[in-house]
């Protein structure tokens, strides 16, 4: 399962919240140069960023274990995505509704690759800026793409969002 989205939307947090192992992260300090490129307006306390991927895992039941791969959010690291999504059953595109345009690349990527995915609006400060229908319209995703609200810090919330993607992927395999 691939967890993607723009810079600072909660991908690393989501993997860390749900993984049953200590997640592998490739966090690096945000340099002055990167701070000039990456928009820190909505994440002023962010001091690190993913430069390769995050990795965790989750056992759904004795016969099913999900391996979780979090992508870097900046377009300059997009060259890695093809390797990260190889063999993926689905994707979760995390969005920050204060800056929806940051996730267009992830949405376009999953649509282009034909990988089943859902959109998860991360509830920063306990709320989202737009309704689910407004998010769907802004991202121009079809009714077949689930759009949910979740909190990347809460294990149960991340679990529920991942189950939406898993159900979507399983439905495709049985069709």
């Amino acid at each position: 399962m691939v967890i993607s989205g723009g810079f600072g939307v909660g991908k690393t947090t989501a993997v860390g919240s749900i993984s049953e192992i200590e997640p592998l992260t490739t966090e690096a300090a945000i340099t002055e140069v990167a701070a000039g490129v990456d928009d820190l307006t909505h994440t002023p306390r962010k001091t690190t960023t993913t430069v390769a991927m995050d990795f965790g895992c989750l056992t759904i039941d004795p016969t099913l274990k999900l391996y979780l791969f979090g992508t870097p959010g900046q377009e300059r690291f997009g060259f890695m995505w093809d390797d990260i999504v190889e063999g993926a059953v689905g994707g979760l595109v995390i969005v920050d509704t204060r800056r929806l345009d940051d996730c267009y690349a992830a949405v376009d990527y999953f649509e282009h690759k034909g990988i089943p995915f859902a959109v998860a609006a991360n509830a920063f400060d306990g709320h989202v800026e737009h309704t689910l229908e407004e998010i769907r319209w802004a991202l121009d995703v079809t009714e077949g793409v689930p759009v949910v609200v979740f909190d990347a810090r809460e294990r149960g919330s991340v679990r529920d969002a991942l189950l939406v993607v898993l159900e979507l992927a399983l439905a495709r395999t049985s069709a």
Side-chain angles (χ1 to χ4, degrees), residues 78-95:
F79 66 91
M80 292 185 259
W81 280 34
D82 284 343
D83 291 329
I84 293 172
V85 303
E86 182 72 29
V89 297
L92 184 67
V93 176
I94 300 176
V95 301

Side-chain angles (χ1 to χ4, degrees), residues 24-36:
L24 167 69
T25 62
T26 57
E27 293 285 294
I30 296 176
T31 63
E32 285 184 36
V33 172

Side-chain angles (χ1 to χ4, degrees), residues 2-18 27 46 49-50 54 69-74 81 92-95 99 102 106 122 124 150 152 158:
V2 177
I3 299 175
S4 64
F7 171 75
V9 297
K11 299 176 298 292
T12 300
T13 300
V15 171
S17 294
I18 193 73
E27 293 285 294
K46 188 167 179 59
T49 188
T50 301
D54 299 314
F69 295 89
T71 65
Q74 302 92 325
W81 280 34
L92 184 67
V93 176
I94 300 176
V95 301
R99 48 196 174 97
D102 287 355
N122 197 357
F124 285 93
F150 90 131
V158 176

